[in-house]
Amino acid sequence: MKTTQLDQSTADPNAQPCIGVFDSGVGGLSVLRALHLRLPLAPMVYVGDVSHAPYGERPVAQVLDRCERIVGYLQEQGARIIVVACNTATVLGISHLRRQWPTLTFVGVEPGIKPAAAHSRTRRIAVMTTPTTAASERLRQLIADHAVGFLVHVVPCHGLATVIERGTIRGPGLLDALRPFCDRVREADVDTLVLGCTHYSFVADTIRSLLGEEVNLIDTASAIAARVASLWSGSGAVTDAVAVVRVRSTGSIDTMRLLLALCPGLLETAVERLAI
Ligand code: DGL
């Protein structure tokens, strides 16, 4: 792992201060949606690293390299707060990014084990997540910190983020992709399911239809948005300038457009390609 500190204040001094948000692809738009609902006047720049998704099935060194490039770009664009809108990148890389950019504020997205434990009456919880997050020390630690005495059934969902990344967010193709994972959740007889990947928020209704209304779904997007709102209002970066949300993709823009159409207030947002 590199030790060179990358925080060289490369931000364009004329850049409007903004909130940077990134994910391996389209999943983080579920977090951007919650952020924009909470902070409709805040400028934001979103990067979906579509050409490198899914992170959850790539070597750690490559994910860290991609995260560094994206954070460098977001800093140039004026980002003061960076939301790592990807559980996989958070568990693999947020500590590394904090060390590399000590003057930026990073907010990560992690599987909501704590709220799940607070909601569960039967003390039986499942977590659907990428294989990398499922195998991570950070998830093990979250369970040890917040769910002692609970059964926590972790379901690694190999390939599911890719299905969503391709734009399959409803219909028979999605049902076929989800069924094996939801079957494992049902067999575990839980009352609470953590959506431990930001992509899965866009298919929450179909997951609910497969599991039944009695299983509570936990998505941390609005809790993250509340946290970012409090940091943003205390950052001194809030201005009267007209806020713009900019969305960038390092690959295809088709699924981004499809999912932005599901985000109130962001329906008309243009998506531009970004080569980094
Ligand atoms: N959206 C990412 C997450 O929350 C996962 C997708 C990926 O594997 O890249 O973990």
Side-chain angles (χ1 to χ4, degrees), residues 6 22 64 66-69 71 82 84 89-90 93-102 104 106:
L6 299 173
F22 77 94
L64 293 183
R66 294 305 301 166
C67 291
E68 285 184 359
R69 284 170 196 248
V71 172
I82 304 239
V84 185
T90 301
I94 200 164
S95 316
H96 174 72
L97 297 173
R98 285 188 174 123
R99 280 194 300 275
Q100 301 284 41
W101 279 276
L104 290 177
F106 289 91

Side-chain angles (χ1 to χ4, degrees), residues 15-160:
Q16 182 185 34
C18 66
I19 299 169
V21 186
F22 77 94
D23 177 44
S24 61
V26 298
L29 291 175
S30 61
V31 179
L32 185 75
R33 169 175 62 185
L35 284 165
H36 185 66
L37 278 174
R38 186 87 191 200
L39 289 168
L41 300 179
M44 299 186 204
V45 179
Y46 179 90
V47 175
D49 197 10
V50 171
S51 62
H52 291 80
Y55 283 175
E57 291 166 41
R58 282 188 184 272
V60 177
Q62 192 180 13
V63 174
L64 293 183
D65 176 62
R66 294 305 301 166
C67 291
E68 285 184 359
R69 284 170 196 248
I70 294 168
V71 172
Y73 169 78
L74 291 171
Q75 188 191 32
E76 277 167 31
Q77 300 302 303
R80 304 285 175 86
I81 297 172
I82 304 239
V83 183
V84 185
C86 175
N87 294 260
T88 309
T90 301
V91 301
L92 291 181
I94 200 164
S95 316
H96 174 72
L97 297 173
R98 285 188 174 123
R99 280 194 300 275
Q100 301 284 41
W101 279 276
T103 63
L104 290 177
T105 300
F106 289 91
V107 177
V109 175
E110 294 183 323
I113 302 296
K114 189 176 178 184
H119 274 85
S120 174
R121 280 163 286 107
T122 60
R123 298 172 81 83
R124 297 177 72 90
I125 297 167
V127 187
M128 283 172 64
T129 193
T130 65
T132 300
T133 304
S136 69
E137 169 57 23
R138 181 65 190 148
L139 180 58
R140 202 199 57 72
Q141 192 61 52
L142 286 169
I143 294 169
D145 288 348
H146 304 297
V148 173
F150 287 65
L151 174 132
V152 183
H153 188 72
V154 179
V155 181
C157 300
H158 180 80
L160 183 54

